[in-house]
Structure formats: C-alpha cells, structure tokens
Amino acid sequence: MKKVGIIGAMDLEVEALKGKMTVLRKEKRASMEFLEGMLNGTDAVVVKSGIGKVNAAICTQILCDLFEVTHIINTGVAGSLKNEINIGDIVVSTDVIHHDVDVRVFGYPLGEVPQVGRLAFPADEGLAQLAVSCCKEVSPDIAAFRGRVVSGDQFISDRKVKETIIENFQGFCVEMEGASIAHAAYLNQVPFVIIRAISDKADDSAEMDYPAFEKAAAARSAALVEHMLLKI
Ligand code: ADE
C-alpha cells in the first residue's frame, strides 16, 4: 500500500493540499504538524517542514519513522539557474546536491558529505516521469524541465554567487531544502522527487521577484502534486 509524504517548506506551499485532504490523523512532532489522510484517492501525509536543510531533514526522518511513508514528494518554489527556465516554469529533479558542503581539504568533491558515499542523490525515475506527464496535463502551456536541483542554507540573490553555483554543480534550480530531503530519503531507501516552480532567477532581481511570484509559483507546484496523487 502506497503512502506519500508531501513536504513543503512554507504554508503557501502546502495550504491548498491540506485544504483538499480528508484528514484522518493529526500529529505534532518537532514543532511540525503532520496531517495524514486521503488526497485524490491516495494515502498521504502533508507537512510544512519550515525553511532550510535542517528542518527539512528532520521532517523527512519523521515521515519515514512515524508514518512509514513509501514515497516522498517535495513541492515548492526555487530560483532558476538557467536562462531558458523562466519564472513560472517547473523543474523536476533528476538528482539533488548540497551546494553548500565543502570538505575538499580531505579529498571529497565539492558538495559531497563525507562518508555518505555519493555526491548526488538520484530522484526516483517513476515519480519524476509522472511529474512531467502530469505537468503537461495540468498546465500544458507551462514548460517542465528535468534536471539537477541544488540546495543550501542561503537565498541566492547575487549574479556572481549564482554563476559560481552553476559552474560548480550544473544545477537547473536552487532552493533550500531539496538536498536534505533527498539525502534523508536516500539513507532511508525511500523513493523521492523534488518538484519546484520558479519564483525568481536567483540573481540581483530575486529580491524583487521572489515576493511578487512566490505565491503563484507555490500554487502551481502544489497543483501538480495534487494531480500526481490521482495517478501514483
Ligand atoms: N527559493 C526560491 N528562490 C530561491 C533562491 N533564489 N535561493 C534559494 N532558495 C530559493
């Protein structure tokens, strides 16, 4: 039996999903409220993790331990790292990397957490393909890209910082939770995918663009996830 854990960092990334659920159980753990129930015919647990990699990792572990989810989907917004990926477009993860980890002094590649055994955490192919096909159905006029998501505990709003991240990691978008969700899901052997709608271009205009576009982008990503649950 499938049970899908759905994580968003902020209220506006999960509120529509929470509103549409038939809630059967509410649990508070680590200051996070987990809503378990039915969403579009699928068992689901929806939770707001809070922002950043520590919150997201804690949240993912609770979904694995307490709720025994079989799949994890992260929904939210991100900054674009490619010229052709515009505000409002969707990025579905191929793999995910921590862009803010640096233990090169002991021979690890930039981004690799020592002793985990890998630099990039691969997303589940079935979930990723489902996300792309659902995007075509839900929002046929919106471009969906499959590519690498990179994460760090920083809001990227500087062209030079953005360019360094692109050069180092070849990411499609940047955000603040995906890699720790991927990392925790990998350690627990739970298949995952990161789905992000673009709210800004992670450059000097991000400070203006983010507040203007975050709401619409968050809703777009959540609508896609909602549709995926019909078909998962
Ligand atoms: N989430 C949305 N936009 C972002 C950015 N520019 N940097 C980090 N996280 C983001």
Side-chain angles (χ1 to χ4, degrees), residues 77-79 154-156 174-176 199-200 202 210:
V77 300
Q154 297 161 5
F155 185 87
I156 308 302
V174 62
E175 37 81 308
M176 300 178 66
S199 56
D200 59 84
Y210 180 83

Side-chain angles (χ1 to χ4, degrees), residues 27 34 163 186 208:
E27 290 277 348
F34 294 78
E163 275 164 12
Y186 169 75
M208 297 277 280

Side-chain angles (χ1 to χ4, degrees), residues 10 13 77-80 99 150 152 154-157 174-177 196-203 206 210:
M10 301 179 293
E13 290 169 331
V77 300
S80 170
H99 73 68
V150 300
Q154 297 161 5
F155 185 87
I156 308 302
S157 57
V174 62
E175 37 81 308
M176 300 178 66
E177 295 83 23
R196 297 281 176 157
I198 300 303
S199 56
D200 59 84
K201 305 227 40 171
D203 56 13
Y210 180 83

